[in-house]
Amino acid sequence: QVWLAESGGGSVEAGGSLTVSCATSGDAVAKYCMGWFRQVPGKEREGVAIIETDGTTTYSDAVKGRFTISRDVSKNTLDLQMNSLKPEDTAMYTCAAGSAEWLEQYTRMGPCGFPLWGEGTQVTVSS
């Protein structure tokens, strides 16, 4: 059973930086496509960044050039380094695991569908 647990959220001023992390079970980070999504109450969940099993990364236009997704296979962790934060980045950030196998049935970003989710960590950016 795969579990995902986020940490590192918090409050930061606009222009600042923050890293959120996701701990996973077993070899999930190596085995699955991993992603970060975010959601604001009343709005749809938005894909932020994904990293495929071969290391290929994809970013949303909203964060491209400011955020970096990375993984540590030896530690089974997934990070999202967020720089130049803006108030509109305020959201609940959630990590997810998936693959192309689930592309049609679940929330998707790039070539991956994501059926496995953590609980999320809140990021608040003040102006």
Side-chain angles (χ1 to χ4, degrees):
Q1 186 74 14
V2 176
W3 55 260
L4 307 166
E6 301 89 344
S7 62
S11 298
V12 63
E13 292 185 352
S17 298
L18 196 64
T19 298
V20 289
S21 298
C22 177
T24 73
S25 58
D27 59 354
V29 167
K31 184 178 178 180
Y32 293 105
C33 183
M34 301 295 298
W36 285 99
F37 293 77
R38 66 186 183 185
Q39 190 168 22
V40 175
K43 293 189 177 181
E44 289 192 4
R45 185 161 52 197
E46 172 191 16
V48 175
I50 66 168
I51 183 166
E52 299 174 48
T53 54
D54 66 357
T56 300
T57 58
T58 302
Y59 296 91
S60 70
D61 288 342
V63 307
K64 198 174 296 181
R66 299 188 296 122
F67 290 12
T68 302
I69 188 171
S70 63
R71 61 182 180 175
D72 188 327
V73 174
S74 66
K75 296 181 180 179
N76 294 315
T77 58
L78 178 76
D79 286 347
L80 184 69
Q81 170 70 41
M82 303 181 287
N83 298 325
S84 303
L85 282 160
K86 305 175 182 180
E88 52 263 45
D89 294 319
T90 295
M92 181 71 74
Y93 284 73
T94 306
C95 69
S99 77
E101 175 184 357
W102 293 308
L103 184 62
E104 297 301 322
Q105 300 101 309
Y106 296 97
T107 299
R108 67 175 68 180
M109 184 174 181
C112 304
F114 293 88
L116 305 169
W117 297 84
E119 294 295 319
T121 185
Q122 178 68 33
V123 172
T124 302
V125 184
S126 59
S127 57

